[in-house]
Amino acid sequence: MPSDKPPPPMPRMLADDPDHWRQRGEEMRTLAGTMKEPASKAIMFRIADDYEKLAKRAEIRTGNRTTTNKLK
């Protein structure tokens, strides 16, 4: 017997959430700031930059500059 209720909403994918990627980038920058080894620090900053690229791609993919989860 079919139900009259609409199906539940699709879960939001984190891959499409620019704020998710920016938050990860901020975490990497914070972690990099605690590191003493220059090579490790540079790697962490590079990872943070890569997270920013993922955020920009998510914006392009979804046409959404930001989501409802604000960092600030």
Side-chain angles (χ1 to χ4, degrees):
M1 189 180 332
S3 172
D4 291 335
K5 291 193 278 185
M10 292 291 289
R12 185 175 59 122
M13 294 190 59
L14 288 178
D16 291 336
D17 184 353
D19 291 336
H20 168 76
W21 297 117
R22 287 199 174 93
Q23 184 176 6
R24 300 288 85 73
E26 284 302 313
E27 290 171 2
M28 292 299 110
R29 285 183 189 88
T30 299
L31 186 57
T34 67
M35 296 185 159
K36 305 286 185 219
E37 172 65 34
S40 298
K41 185 178 274 205
I43 289 168
M44 297 306 287
F45 280 125
R46 191 168 54 242
I47 291 170
D49 291 342
D50 289 343
Y51 279 132
E52 180 60 30
K53 290 175 188 173
L54 288 170
K56 289 179 182 179
R57 288 179 183 170
E59 289 172 355
I60 291 167
R61 218 177 17 260
T62 63
N64 188 10
R65 182 82 174 105
T66 59
T67 63
T68 57
N69 297 333
K70 299 289 182 193
L71 292 177
K72 297 179 182 178

